[in-house]
Amino acid sequence: MSATAEIAVTRRPGNRSGAVKIALALLIAAPVFAVIVTLLASLARFEPTVWTHLLTYWLPEVLGNTALIMLGVGLGVTVLGTALAALVALTEFPGRRVFAVALLLPMAMPGYVLATVVIGQLDFAGPLATLLRAAGLSMPPIRSVAGLVLTLTLTLYPYVYLVARGAFASQGARTLEAARLMGFAPWQAFWRVLLPQARPWILGGALLALMETLADFGTASAFGVTTFTTAIYRAWFALFSIDVALQLALVMLVLVALLVMAERLSRRRARFVSAQGAQAPLSLGRWRWAATGLCGGVLLLGFGLPVLQLGHWALSAAVPIPQLLPLAGRSLALAAMAAGLTVTAAVLLAIVARTTPGRRLATLQTVATLGYALPGPLLALGLFVPYAGGIQWLNQQFGLAWMVHGGVSLLLLAYAVRFMAVAHTPLHAQLMRLSPSVDDAARLLGVGRLARLQTVYLPPLNLAMLTAALLVFVDVMKEMPITLMMRPFGWETLAVRVFEFTREGQWAAAGAPSLAIVAVGLLPVLLLTRVFNRKAADVT
């Protein structure tokens, strides 16, 4: 056999494996492609009159507000989440162990619920504004871009806090000791060594928060601030043009793609290796009480006061608890199934991209995570339109009489598309921290693909998989628009019940189901904290 033939024979299995991996990534990204095709097809029905109206009266304000909100929330969640994570993971101050758990609690608070509480307390007719006016003072209007940025920051900072805390805790004492041996002071070691090492985690968390901000509708509507998403809804329900709404969503999708590409480009040539080891918390001296005050203030504003207000509303409305149990059961079942499906797909996508580097898989990986920035109703519409078209085509071709209805399977698919980025980000960041030399060593030792998956890739992903599952679980519990539009008949959930009450202005009646969402969301947060503590104990 000639040398050329030998090379062809030895490369054939690798080519087949690469094709299988690309096909798998293409399958995971296929629903997003379906949505994109639906959005692009709307361009064939361009309405110049409507777009002239939008460009003249809507879009200047929409683009300005959206840019300000993205900038404010991006800075807010990055600074607040990173500062709190560094304090809890690296320093010692009164209440540190309690705050390590408690600072995750705002993750269980939906943004639209927190907005209702904030407006109820700080609006013109609220108790604080009334008290200030009685004293001859005034406060700026809370229904503004600043109020929206504050609310979204308090709701979304746990995305950065969670991953940054894990990054700081996992780097251990060796990194700090190495920096000190090089002559760095503790603060210099943090800024010049620990913070750059945690950069992929922090950027990943900030990216999730920005995508959530861009897709938010309920919180912006509560504050009366016009954003890109509210413009899409106005085009749909005020101008009665679904095509214009889809075209605006297409513009939003381009913005999200640019955001994801910028984040990937910022760490394209970076390589990060973790250093394991126990780390003794640093003493803050006289600043220790300031750290306690900062953590306590954030927790009070983001969770304590809102829960007290919701509890007051729930008691005043006196909704019977047995009425909420079936709603809670359906919410839990949907969240658990969606978390399992989404994390399984995200693990496969992350490992495939890790083991087969290249532009095609990187592009498919980016496309598969774009659904997080799409407004829920448009994502539901983008999936349902091709699904209904496929059912009608089958009926016409084969004389069938299948009914066009989504069901739980289509609802779970929509959840997976929407929250793929939430599951994929911690998994991708964890794999980036795995040295490339590990792959080379496994190949040189003759470890097969399946054995490499079981012994090299999956064990380091255990904590990241649990993190991803809990993030998806909590997000599905809070998700409202997709559930509202795609749920099977009779499948009411807690979020749907909150929407129905708030739409009718029954704020007190919405208190009990809102509290139930928060309570159910607390369970995975507490479990996640317990796992983190166990990991820290193992390292120690």
Side-chain angles (χ1 to χ4, degrees):
M1 182 181 293
S2 66
T4 304
E6 287 180 0
I7 292 174
V9 169
T10 55
R11 283 182 176 175
R12 190 173 301 146
N15 292 338
R16 284 201 299 267
S17 175
V20 170
K21 291 176 180 177
I22 290 177
L24 180 60
L26 191 61
L27 179 64
I28 295 173
V32 179
F33 278 118
V35 175
I36 294 174
V37 169
T38 303
L39 298 179
L40 290 174
S42 68
L43 295 176
R45 301 179 292 275
F46 188 74
E47 301 178 39
T49 305
V50 177
W51 269 98
T52 301
H53 177 80
L54 291 178
L55 291 171
T56 305
Y57 299 103
W58 282 17
L59 289 185
E61 180 186 4
V62 166
L63 294 176
N65 286 345
T66 303
L68 284 175
I69 294 166
M70 295 284 286
L71 180 63
V73 174
L75 287 174
V77 298
T78 301
V79 173
L80 188 60
T82 304
L84 294 175
L87 284 174
V88 170
L90 303 175
T91 67
E92 183 61 55
F93 58 91
R96 181 178 72 91
R97 294 183 181 276
V98 175
F99 287 124
V101 179
L103 287 173
L104 287 172
L105 297 181
M107 183 182 289
M109 180 72 65
Y112 51 86
V113 173
L114 182 60
T116 303
V117 175
V118 169
I119 293 172
Q121 292 296 319
L122 303 180
D123 204 8
F124 182 82
L128 181 59
T130 303
L131 185 64
L132 290 176
R133 283 199 304 275
L137 302 174
S138 63
M139 61 181 297
I142 191 63
R143 292 177 185 263
S144 61
V145 171
L148 177 58
V149 168
L150 174 64
T151 302
L152 288 176
T153 299
L154 289 173
T155 304
L156 300 176
Y157 84 82
Y159 284 102
V160 177
Y161 168 78
L162 181 63
V163 293
R165 178 191 160 196
F168 289 138
S170 65
Q171 289 175 37
R174 293 182 182 177
T175 303
L176 276 179
E177 289 174 1
R180 289 179 179 178
L181 290 175
M182 296 176 65
F184 291 110
W187 287 107
Q188 290 176 319
F190 173 76
W191 285 107
R192 301 183 63 174
V193 180
L194 286 178
L195 195 58
Q197 284 287 329
R199 183 166 59 89
W201 293 68
I202 295 172
L203 289 179
L207 177 65
L208 290 178
L210 287 176
M211 294 171 76
E212 186 76 30
T213 300
L214 196 59
D216 173 78
F217 174 74
T219 315
S221 297
F223 279 92
V225 177
T226 303
T227 64
F228 221 106
T229 310
T230 59
I232 292 172
Y233 279 79
R234 289 174 65 182
W236 189 347
F237 294 105
L239 301 179
F240 303 105
S241 176
I242 294 179
D243 291 329
V244 171
L246 291 172
Q247 290 156 14
L248 285 171
L250 183 60
V251 176
M252 178 183 288
L253 189 62
V254 173
L255 293 177
V256 173
L258 292 176
L259 198 65
V260 174
M261 290 173 63
E263 189 268 342
R264 296 275 167 82
L265 189 63
S266 69
R267 59 181 182 180
R268 181 178 56 179
R269 296 182 179 177
R271 294 293 181 268
F272 304 91
V273 179
S274 62
Q276 302 293 330
Q279 177 180 328
L282 300 175
S283 174
L284 290 176
R286 60 181 180 178
W287 294 102
R288 62 187 184 280
W289 289 108
T292 302
L294 174 62
C295 294
V298 172
L299 182 62
L300 189 65
L301 292 175
F303 189 79
L305 292 178
V307 167
L308 288 176
Q309 178 64 76
L310 292 174
H312 173 70
W313 284 344
L315 290 176
S316 62
V319 176
I321 292 179
Q323 291 185 6
L324 299 179
L325 292 180
L327 307 179
R330 296 189 195 103
S331 299
L332 287 170
L334 285 175
M337 288 188 291
L341 175 65
T342 308
V343 172
T344 300
V347 168
L348 293 174
L349 185 65
I351 292 179
V352 162
R354 160 83 183 198
T355 56
T356 313
R359 288 187 177 181
R360 285 181 295 181
L361 275 173
T363 302
L364 290 175
Q365 189 177 222
T366 301
V367 170
T369 57
L370 290 180
Y372 195 57
L374 285 177
L378 288 181
L379 181 58
L381 190 62
L383 290 175
F384 189 79
V385 167
Y387 169 78
I391 294 295
Q392 290 178 354
W393 182 83
L394 289 175
N395 288 340
Q396 293 172 357
Q397 295 296 320
F398 301 101
L400 303 175
W402 290 353
M403 298 292 292
V404 180
H405 57 82
V408 175
S409 57
L410 192 59
L411 179 61
L412 293 176
L413 178 62
Y415 286 147
V417 174
R418 176 80 171 85
F419 299 117
M420 180 61 67
V422 176
H424 181 264
T425 297
L427 296 168
H428 181 66
Q430 182 63 33
L431 284 178
M432 279 197 66
R433 295 164 65 85
L434 192 64
S435 171
S437 60
V438 175
D439 304 60
D440 299 334
R443 291 193 191 94
L444 289 175
L445 291 173
V447 180
R449 295 187 181 89
L450 184 58
R452 283 207 302 270
L453 177 67
Q454 295 174 335
T455 59
V456 177
Y457 300 123
L458 289 181
L461 287 179
N462 285 339
L463 185 58
M465 284 192 289
L466 181 59
T467 302
L470 293 177
L471 289 174
V472 174
F473 186 94
V474 174
D475 272 336
V476 173
M477 283 292 301
K478 296 185 294 185
E479 206 285 331
M480 181 190 296
I482 293 177
T483 311
L484 193 65
M485 295 184 65
M486 302 186 71
R487 73 189 193 282
F489 180 76
W491 267 66
E492 288 196 1
T493 64
L494 292 171
V496 172
R497 183 57 59 88
V498 170
F499 170 78
E500 292 173 345
F501 281 138
T502 53
R503 182 180 57 180
E504 299 170 357
Q506 301 182 43
W507 304 108
S514 297
L515 268 183
I517 293 176
V518 174
V520 173
L522 287 178
L523 297 177
V525 172
L526 295 177
L527 177 61
L528 181 63
T529 304
R530 185 175 179 180
V531 172
F532 267 117
N533 291 338
R534 186 178 302 169
K535 281 279 182 182
D538 292 343
V539 170
T540 303

